[in-house]
Amino acid sequence: MNISRNDNRAYRALTLDNGLKVLLVQDKDSTKAAASMAVNAGHFDDPADRQGLAHFLEHMLFLGTDQFPDSGSFNNFVSQAGGNTNAWTGTEHSCYFFDINNQEFEHALLQFSRFFIAPLLSANETEKERNAIDAEFKLKIKDDARRIYQAHKETVNPAHPFAKFSVGNLQTLADRERCISYELCDFFNEHYQAQWMTLVVCANEKLDTLQTWVKAHFSQILGNKASVKPEISEPLYRKQDLGKILHIEPHKHMQKLIVSFAMPNIDDFYRHKTVSFIAHLLGYEGQGSLYSILKEQGWINALSAGGGINGSNFKDFNVSMALTDEGIEYFEDIIEMLFEYICLINANTEKLPRLYQDKKNLLQIAFDNQEKSRLIDWVSSLSINMQHYDECNYVQGDYLMEGFNKATHEMAMQWLKPNNMRIVLIHPDVEPEHKTAWYNTPYKVEKVSPSWLDALSDINKPLKDMYLPTANPYLTKEVELFEIEKPQEQPTLLVKEPGFDFWFKQDSTFRVAKGHFYLAMDSDFAVKDVKHMALTRLFTDLFMDSVGEQFYPAELAGLSYHLTSHQGGLTLHTAGLSSSQLELVDELLDALFNVDICAKRFAEYKKQLVRHWRNSNQNKPVSELFSILGAKLMPWNPQPNDLADALKATSFQQFNEFRQDFFKALHVESFLHGNWQENHALEFQKKVAAHLQNATTIDDLRRPLFEIKKATRYEIELPCNDHAMVVYYQAQTNDVNEKVKMMALNHLMNQDYFNELRTTQQLGYLVGAGYAPFNTRAGIAFYIQSPKFDSKTLLHRHTHFVNQYLSNINELDEHSWQQQKHGLKTHIAEKDKNLRLRSQRLWLAIGNRDHNFDMQKRLLCALNMLTLQEIKDYALVLFDENRPRYELLSNAKVNKSQKIAVYSHSL
């Protein structure tokens, strides 16, 4: 099996007698274990009269099995053992996955295996979970991605399974002559067979042990190695489905052009990445690129290539563009330019092998310097890879580029023809002729005029200012892994000057040729008032827009950069290969002070940002309540509507004055971490300091936090059909002991809260409790969003649950408490999986002034000392009816006018 050079895990692939493909992985360094089962069955397999059945089955498998009949038993077990579990249903696959501490892994595997052997699928549970499916459907009824997707479904070949409604609701999943549980059993028996499943298990155990467990627990899954999954016989598009313009009206303001080309299944191209390479050429953003020319015209704000739906007999190759107000008027001209750029590619076939080799080298470098991701995410993606790739490429398949294949390239380019195209235009000024089923999306379908198709087909040469990518300047340096100088447990304050701290740590753990650099700049002008806070956010967007073309080669070379706003200023973060990163930062800092930002782009981004903030009240109600909560607690984090009002009244001159003022006086903190030695860091610090030499210094700005002094309720109406509730309890001190008590209480309660209010009472799809700190102050948030119950009812149910929990808390015994503590300890003590996560943690510690970098150790120490009686006492104090807290309630507004003011009163 092909694995990365820095991958120290051991692998073994096998196939059980029932046909189940298994990949065993030993990771000696992992404190957690994980497993994922992918099934080659999804909503394409739904019976025509039972749409959403595959999705319904995915939910039902968690609600009891023959050996573990309690509906929440698996989730409870995993949660208490410091783990997580989840699942999803796609078009042709479903995936189930979990992680857990290593000690409990075998028992978790036993429980997990019964999902696929003997799920109960009981009639009682179907009644409740059908309501959850319906709540999930209603939750996304105004989600533009779902609405646009549905319009797509209704304009393809209706005989293709893509046309089916994938989610399901009370209507499609209602009981008929018999309870739907019987139909779930039939679907399970037909489609959940071992030969169509792929399992990944990863733990710190020996491979022989894992193999013994897997054979013991998963061999009972029914299967037949000889059985083959039936192929889809119908094409996604008939001839009459192509050559169409689909106008879709979005719910939120959006202007987007998608030019979509129909392709067959391209799985066989994965070794050469033929289609991905074409997407790389079309999506290029450097000088002379399609993106650069269209942006210069003022027609687009973004461009991407290669996305789109795909399946076992189809692939949509999409070129997607975010349009400006002007661009929407010129969409035909944009499409003509796309075909002119396609001509450029076709006319330069002899140059493509060199460009392909660049891309191949980058993918190989990325693979060789691959970092571990979250284990649960990694095993789930690996189980899906096993459905598509050969055994030797399970791990490397996504990174494989064996060589430029001229024949497959020319075949793929033949699909990028005008007569094989569909156009999707998403904009608010549609004159609709249809509304989609389920999501009520207004849309109109037009036939592309034959004369225009002929004109597009006649295009045979590119524009003179169009260019292919050139040699990448960021690939000139050899990728080198430097020797460890002196292993450091924590960062060193390498340079401390007035207003400028420079921290450094050479990585000695992950040993990849990568690194991270953070530079935080605090300025009084970032927080002078709401207008300045809005301008800070606008500047980040305009800067990223202005330097995009200049630094696109850096992105292609495995480097990334982001300028973001924080409370008090700006943060520049670069990441990726260490070889050329210091040069990149030098150039970025020069651009930060000197890059030209034109009035036209200012006007465009100001308009887009105001629209974005105005649209915020159309977010999910729970999201909007959390936004209000953040603004109430953090004065430097205003509500989106306030930011929009302030920015709307700002001129270009005021923006330029703000930009100059911002950099006049700064407090700067920076951190370099990764594959560098101290001499690199010192050289680097001098370059950074040179850019900042003209700024006077200020003290770092302390992020203000509003302390909740009394129980206060905020009530709001939102233009949404759902109602929502958020209740927030803030820690009264910054003491680490109170942080741990809040963490422990959340760990004890959150699964019970979900099981009772989501699964049993069926209040809604979004239900939960979570540890939620703001500006380092600990807190617990409880939230519910419901399509059926008003917010005061939700609050009443929440309060009743809390009271019941308190009345039963004495039933928690010492043995259970120690088990729960062990689960929480697994969460807190989890090691950094990769360089990125370690860099984030250390940078967060620097920002929080934790210069001993020992918060994890202090939390574990406090948790070890925490007694059962102390947590019981704390629960009574925290949930006392007079305890200071925020209760945020939202209800549906009858009309669609602007959000009304938030009303508040003390309780």
Side-chain angles (χ1 to χ4, degrees), residues 414-434:
Q414 287 299 310
W415 295 322
L416 305 187
K417 300 285 188 183
N419 60 5
N420 193 42
M421 167 184 73
R422 280 165 55 99
I423 299 166
V424 180
L425 202 58
I426 303 163
H427 60 107
D429 300 322
V430 176
E431 297 173 1
E433 295 173 352
H434 311 281

Side-chain angles (χ1 to χ4, degrees), residues 95-259:
C95 193
Y96 303 79
F97 41 93
F98 72 92
D99 65 5
I100 197 166
N101 67 51
N102 279 297
Q103 297 93 317
E104 307 292 349
F105 188 48
E106 185 190 5
H107 188 64
L109 276 182
L110 168 62
Q111 293 192 51
F112 187 60
S113 69
R114 305 313 293 181
F115 283 25
F116 312 101
I117 299 167
L120 292 183
L121 307 177
S122 71
N124 288 340
E125 296 295 345
T126 59
E127 182 61 39
K128 287 188 290 189
E129 204 56 29
R130 180 165 40 212
N131 290 326
I133 293 281
D134 192 64
E136 182 179 353
F137 161 65
K138 287 175 177 170
L139 175 71
K140 299 288 182 76
I141 212 155
K142 291 186 178 179
D143 180 85
D144 274 320
R146 292 280 179 97
R147 290 158 56 82
I148 292 163
Y149 199 48
Q150 187 61 31
H152 190 178
K153 285 173 172 286
E154 294 188 13
T155 54
V156 303
N157 178 3
H160 192 280
F162 178 72
K164 295 174 183 175
F165 171 47
S166 59
V167 181
N169 62 10
L170 288 178
Q171 181 181 336
T172 67
L173 301 173
D175 290 336
R176 294 174 186 163
E177 294 82 16
R178 58 179 186 160
C179 176
I180 196 172
S181 60
Y182 293 102
E183 294 174 66
L184 286 165
C185 287
D186 293 341
F187 186 94
F188 175 85
N189 291 331
E190 181 180 355
H191 296 287
Y192 274 55
Q193 297 201 19
Q195 70 275 9
W196 298 326
M197 297 181 180
T198 46
L199 174 68
V200 178
V201 296
C202 179
N204 61 4
E205 296 285 348
K206 293 179 180 177
L207 293 176
D208 288 345
T209 303
L210 295 177
Q211 182 168 326
T212 301
W213 291 351
V214 166
K215 283 187 172 181
H217 301 318
F218 292 88
S219 293
Q220 292 179 52
I221 300 174
L222 296 179
N224 177 1
K225 283 184 179 179
S227 185
V228 177
K229 184 91 176 176
E231 293 184 358
I232 299 171
S233 56
E234 290 285 342
L236 180 64
Y237 301 115
R238 303 159 298 180
K239 189 173 182 181
Q240 64 264 38
D241 301 317
L242 298 170
K244 294 288 178 66
I245 303 180
L246 179 57
H247 296 264
I248 303 175
E249 181 184 315
H251 176 59
K252 291 184 178 181
H253 190 282
M254 185 191 309
Q255 293 175 157
K256 193 171 185 179
L257 169 65
I258 304 171
V259 184

Side-chain angles (χ1 to χ4, degrees), residues 394-429:
Y394 284 167
V395 178
Q396 194 184 9
D398 291 340
Y399 295 85
L400 198 62
M401 289 182 81
E402 289 189 342
F404 181 72
N405 187 315
K406 187 177 179 183
T408 58
H409 173 82
E410 290 176 350
M411 182 194 307
M413 291 302 293
Q414 287 299 310
W415 295 322
L416 305 187
K417 300 285 188 183
N419 60 5
N420 193 42
M421 167 184 73
R422 280 165 55 99
I423 299 166
V424 180
L425 202 58
I426 303 163
H427 60 107
D429 300 322

Side-chain angles (χ1 to χ4, degrees), residues 596-656:
D596 184 46
I597 294 174
C598 70
K600 188 174 183 180
R601 297 308 285 170
F602 165 80
E604 175 65 25
Y605 269 83
K606 172 184 162 181
K607 179 171 58 183
Q608 296 286 352
L609 199 50
V610 168
R611 277 177 182 164
H612 169 71
W613 284 330
R614 294 258 193 258
N615 272 332
S616 69
N617 72 328
Q618 297 179 36
N619 292 337
K620 294 193 294 283
V622 156
S623 300
E624 182 66 2
L625 293 183
F626 272 110
S627 174
I628 293 168
L629 175 64
K632 294 291 177 192
L633 291 171
M634 298 180 294
W636 289 353
N637 188 49
Q639 286 189 55
N641 246 21
D642 296 335
L643 289 165
D645 291 343
L647 188 60
K648 188 83 171 67
T650 304
S651 69
F652 185 49
Q653 180 177 321
Q654 287 175 317
F655 169 76
N656 284 323

Side-chain angles (χ1 to χ4, degrees), residues 215-454:
K215 283 187 172 181
H217 301 318
F218 292 88
S219 293
Q220 292 179 52
I221 300 174
L222 296 179
N224 177 1
K225 283 184 179 179
S227 185
V228 177
K229 184 91 176 176
E231 293 184 358
I232 299 171
S233 56
E234 290 285 342
L236 180 64
Y237 301 115
R238 303 159 298 180
K239 189 173 182 181
Q240 64 264 38
D241 301 317
L242 298 170
K244 294 288 178 66
I245 303 180
L246 179 57
H247 296 264
I248 303 175
E249 181 184 315
H251 176 59
K252 291 184 178 181
H253 190 282
M254 185 191 309
Q255 293 175 157
K256 193 171 185 179
L257 169 65
I258 304 171
V259 184
S260 185
F261 299 96
M263 295 183 172
N265 172 268
I266 60 165
D267 275 2
D268 290 344
F269 289 2
Y270 88 86
R271 291 175 173 276
H272 301 281
K273 299 291 185 294
T274 299
V275 173
S276 298
F277 178 61
I278 294 170
H280 160 68
L281 298 174
L282 285 170
Y284 179 63
E285 293 183 11
Q287 186 178 3
S289 64
L290 179 62
Y291 165 84
S292 176
I293 291 167
L294 292 173
K295 183 184 162 192
E296 184 67 27
Q297 291 281 356
W299 291 349
I300 70 167
N301 288 323
L303 181 150
S304 63
I309 60 168
N310 62 86
S312 56
N313 79 333
F314 66 92
K315 159 69 181 169
D316 270 1
F317 183 95
N318 289 352
V319 181
S320 304
M321 286 157 272
L323 302 179
T324 63
D325 288 349
E326 189 179 356
I328 200 83
E329 304 296 328
Y330 290 95
F331 79 90
E332 294 102 336
D333 304 81
I334 292 171
I335 292 169
E336 288 174 24
M337 287 191 180
L338 167 62
F339 282 105
E340 285 161 343
Y341 201 85
I342 288 171
C343 281
L344 178 72
I345 297 172
N346 287 330
N348 289 277
T349 308
E350 76 285 352
K351 295 180 181 176
L352 298 183
R354 180 188 60 79
L355 296 175
Y356 182 98
Q357 190 62 39
D358 272 0
K359 183 71 175 168
K360 176 183 176 180
N361 291 345
L362 281 168
L363 270 189
Q364 188 61 49
I365 290 169
F367 184 64
D368 284 339
N369 289 278
Q370 197 179 4
E371 297 182 71
K372 289 182 178 179
S373 57
R374 268 203 336 158
L375 195 60
I376 191 171
D377 300 328
W378 184 70
V379 296
S380 61
S381 63
L382 206 51
S383 66
I384 293 295
N385 284 2
M386 292 171 69
Q387 295 276 339
H388 297 284
Y389 299 148
D390 303 317
E391 182 180 303
C392 62
N393 291 318
Y394 284 167
V395 178
Q396 194 184 9
D398 291 340
Y399 295 85
L400 198 62
M401 289 182 81
E402 289 189 342
F404 181 72
N405 187 315
K406 187 177 179 183
T408 58
H409 173 82
E410 290 176 350
M411 182 194 307
M413 291 302 293
Q414 287 299 310
W415 295 322
L416 305 187
K417 300 285 188 183
N419 60 5
N420 193 42
M421 167 184 73
R422 280 165 55 99
I423 299 166
V424 180
L425 202 58
I426 303 163
H427 60 107
D429 300 322
V430 176
E431 297 173 1
E433 295 173 352
H434 311 281
K435 276 198 172 184
T436 65
W438 315 118
Y439 296 94
N440 298 314
T441 319
Y443 72 98
K444 180 174 77 169
V445 183
E446 284 184 305
K447 198 172 188 305
V448 177
S449 102
S451 59
W452 189 45
L453 278 179
D454 290 342

Side-chain angles (χ1 to χ4, degrees), residues 472-477 550-551 553-554 557 559 579-580 583-584 587:
N472 196 316
Y474 294 95
L475 284 178
T476 54
K477 282 196 171 184
Q550 178 185 352
F551 294 112
L559 293 162
S579 50
S580 298
E583 288 83 351
L584 170 66
E587 293 167 4

